[in-house]
């Protein structure tokens, strides 16, 4: 785990402790997150997971905003309990009041989308196809059936695939 990220988590905790005048247990931190999310706070496990790809591509903003965003979730949970909304007023109070950062719910990092293969299914309707994911295609192979809402015929694999 990069030292800068670990140091930023610690700095966020020290800021919160100075503001609220109480000590908070430090979380486990790892880089085992992939996909579109930049970070995730697991409240009951006291765990922070971060996306290494998005960290590498957006280091400065990631350290300042994303790390504080996720730490604020853990702090809000410790202070206010389970019944608060994830991005509710308690979390916003911490983002704005403690960290003096915008309470943005989502990041706007550029995400490279990978190409996925779609399995083409057809019904009796003319010139109509249904692109299935690999997961849905596997379910069909195990016996699940899907139907066209227009003609009510069972969708059948055409033998074709395409990349999207």
């Amino acid at each position: 785990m990069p030292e800068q990220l670990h140091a930023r988590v610690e700095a966020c905790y020290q800021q919160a402790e100075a503001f609220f005048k109480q000590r908070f247990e430090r979380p486990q931190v790892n880089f085992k997150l992939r996909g579109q999310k930049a970070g995730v706070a697991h409240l009951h496990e006291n765990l922070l997971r971060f996306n290494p790809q998005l960290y590498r591509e957006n280091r400065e903003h990631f350290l300042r905003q994303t790390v504080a965003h996720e730490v604020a979730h853990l702090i809000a949970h410790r202070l206010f309990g389970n019944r608060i909304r994830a991005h509710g007023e308690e979390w916003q109070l911490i983002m704005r009041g403690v960290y003096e950062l915008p309470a943005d719910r989502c990041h706007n990092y550029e995400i490279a989308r990978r190409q996925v293969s779609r399995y083409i299914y057809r019904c009796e309707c003319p010139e109509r196809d249904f692109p299935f994911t690999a997961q849905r295609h596997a379910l069909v192979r195990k016996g699940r059936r899907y139907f066209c809402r227009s003609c009510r015929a069972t969708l059948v694999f055409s033998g074709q695939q395409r990349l999207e």
Side-chain angles (χ1 to χ4, degrees), residues 7 39 43 47 50 67 81 87-89 92 94 102-103 145 150 154 159 162:
L43 306 177
L47 168 68
F50 293 104
V67 172
H87 296 104
E89 60 187 84
Q92 291 177 32
I94 295 166
R145 293 173 56 189
S150 298
T154 300
R162 72 173 174 235

Side-chain angles (χ1 to χ4, degrees), residues 27 32 34 60 67-68 73 78 98 117 119 125 131 148 158 163:
K32 296 180 180 174
R34 297 193 318 193
E60 187 178 315
V67 172
H73 282 302
R78 295 291 178 257
V98 177
S117 184
Y119 297 83
C125 297
C148 174
S158 68
L163 290 175

Side-chain angles (χ1 to χ4, degrees), residues 114-128:
R114 63 185 174 94
Q115 284 194 326
V116 293
S117 184
R118 299 292 183 194
Y119 297 83
I120 307 304
Y121 279 72
R122 296 214 166 86
C123 63
E124 295 175 2
C125 297
E127 296 184 37
R128 187 151 185 207

